[in-house]
Amino acid sequence: MSTQQNLFFDSMIDSTTANNFKSNKNECLLKELDRIYEDLYDKHQHYLGYPFNLSLEYSELGKFLNLQPNNLGDAFYSSTVNIDTKKQEREVLKFFADVYKLPWEETWGYIGNGGTEGNLCGMLVARERYPDGVFYFSEASHYSIKKNAWILGKPGEVVPSQPNGEFNYDALIERILKNGNKPVLLVATLGTTMTGAIDNVKTIVELFKKHNIKEYHIHYDGALFGGMIPFMENGPELNFETLPIDSIAISGHKFVGCPMPAGIFLTRKKYIQRILENSDVSYVGTKDTTISGCRNGLSSLLLWYQVNRKGVEGFKQDVKQCMEVTEYAKARLDSIGWNNFLNPWSNTIVIDRPNDTICNYWSLACEGDKAHIIIMQHISKEHIDLFIEHLLDSQRNMN
């Protein structure tokens, strides 16, 4: 056999070996993907402690995973990076501006990476409005608020909260007056993390009037409840028309239902002028008024799909279902004598902390001797019945 024939034969062996290796590697990869999917799917079936909507229907959008939409910069400005979903992003923003009664011509906002980013943007807007202001937030606020205040160079005042998780309003006014005439940068919470309490902005504003406090920015952290309150029957009146709310952050992956972290931020357009003045980015032909710059165009598209698929009536039905199951869960807990607490308009039930086996199985969020369950769209009465059986078993074992 000639040298040339040997080389050809060797190359054929190498090619075959490489193809076999590639085939085996792909087969192993697919098996690993199946294992990961089964693990995640199993956890979905008993996920009771965190406020994620796991009732998702996005299979028709799978083809978009082979694209890379990038909503770079301001949602209201085009860009030379024109593979984007900014049109759909603006439609999502308008949907939430409408339900919160914020006139569209006065609206600015964008869809970012989650509630933390939305809170950071709201706090940035507040700081730019009143550079010499002081941040105030309660000890029951989400941990991102304290972190964001530190990032912005204004650690602020951590105000005591009431036992149910609301602001201690007397303590809030006391702290504000202690700081003299400095503007108030207030972060209120629409559904506190552990207890689902709502800070009452109406009460706060009445106290501001009583004490002649005129310069303030009120940002609402509405991570979970921000997606629920506008669709709640007999819920609290909470909107930009009747209350002096200046900005709000809503998590897209919580009640609204996005399969990846996302956050909807809204504020009044007039408040971002200082940010706009320094936002030109010439090489991509746009303005960047956002925290993250490059932004995930897929999350905007998914939220657009969800908003159009559900609409106001669909979200109302989701809220109704969640509240009905919440009432059922509280009644079942009461029936077995398991100590629990539920704030008004809340789907978060605070309970005495079960044993670690139950907490781990149901992915419960725990703090000290308390835990909570959060009734989202994927939680049924059957889930609650199984959870109650686990609690009863733990009681029997203790006895």
Side-chain angles (χ1 to χ4, degrees), residues 226-266:
M228 299 179 67
I229 293 298
F231 312 109
M232 187 174 290
E233 186 177 353
N234 300 319
E237 186 177 26
L238 199 159
N239 56 66
F240 284 78
E241 182 179 77
T242 58
L243 289 173
I245 302 168
D246 297 302
S247 55
I248 189 169
I250 304 165
S251 292
H253 56 289
K254 292 183 179 175
F255 181 81
V256 182
C258 183
M260 60 188 69
I264 301 152
F265 174 72
L266 293 173

Side-chain angles (χ1 to χ4, degrees), residues 107-127:
T107 299
W108 183 85
Y110 72 97
I111 295 174
N113 190 52
T116 295
E117 182 177 343
N119 288 330
L120 178 58
C121 195
M123 294 169 74
L124 173 63
V125 170
R127 189 195 70 179

Side-chain angles (χ1 to χ4, degrees), residues 42-169:
D42 177 66
K43 290 173 180 175
H44 272 59
Q45 308 314 302
H46 40 85
Y47 202 83
L48 193 54
Y50 293 89
F52 305 139
N53 175 1
L54 302 182
S55 182
L56 305 176
E57 299 177 31
Y58 288 106
S59 58
E60 293 182 2
L61 279 74
K63 58 190 175 184
F64 288 95
L65 290 174
N66 291 322
L67 304 176
Q68 198 186 95
N70 185 339
N71 289 10
L72 191 150
D74 195 298
F76 293 86
Y77 288 83
S78 61
S79 162
T80 53
V81 183
N82 60 6
I83 304 175
D84 64 39
T85 59
K86 286 188 177 182
K87 179 179 181 294
Q88 291 73 31
E89 178 179 17
R90 290 191 296 271
E91 290 180 16
V92 174
L93 295 174
K94 187 177 187 306
F95 177 85
F96 283 97
D98 287 347
V99 298
Y100 273 103
K101 298 182 181 180
L102 176 60
W104 181 238
E105 64 274 10
E106 299 176 18
T107 299
W108 183 85
Y110 72 97
I111 295 174
N113 190 52
T116 295
E117 182 177 343
N119 288 330
L120 178 58
C121 195
M123 294 169 74
L124 173 63
V125 170
R127 189 195 70 179
E128 292 302 291
R129 282 188 71 194
Y130 299 112
D132 59 339
V134 178
F135 282 118
Y136 299 89
F137 45 90
S138 85
E139 61 186 359
S141 297
H142 189 260
Y143 75 90
S144 69
I145 306 302
K146 187 175 183 179
K147 177 174 70 173
N148 289 343
W150 174 75
I151 290 171
L152 293 170
K154 284 180 169 291
E157 296 270 3
V158 182
V159 180
S161 58
Q162 300 177 51
N164 75 328
E166 268 185 84
F167 259 122
N168 181 321
Y169 302 109

Side-chain angles (χ1 to χ4, degrees), residues 70-75 79 81 86 89 110-113 117 281 283-284 286-297:
N70 185 339
N71 289 10
L72 191 150
D74 195 298
S79 162
V81 183
K86 286 188 177 182
E89 178 179 17
Y110 72 97
I111 295 174
N113 190 52
E117 182 177 343
V281 187
Y283 86 99
V284 289
T286 193
K287 292 179 178 291
D288 187 11
T289 47
T290 69
I291 299 294
S292 47
C294 286
R295 297 183 294 105
N296 186 350

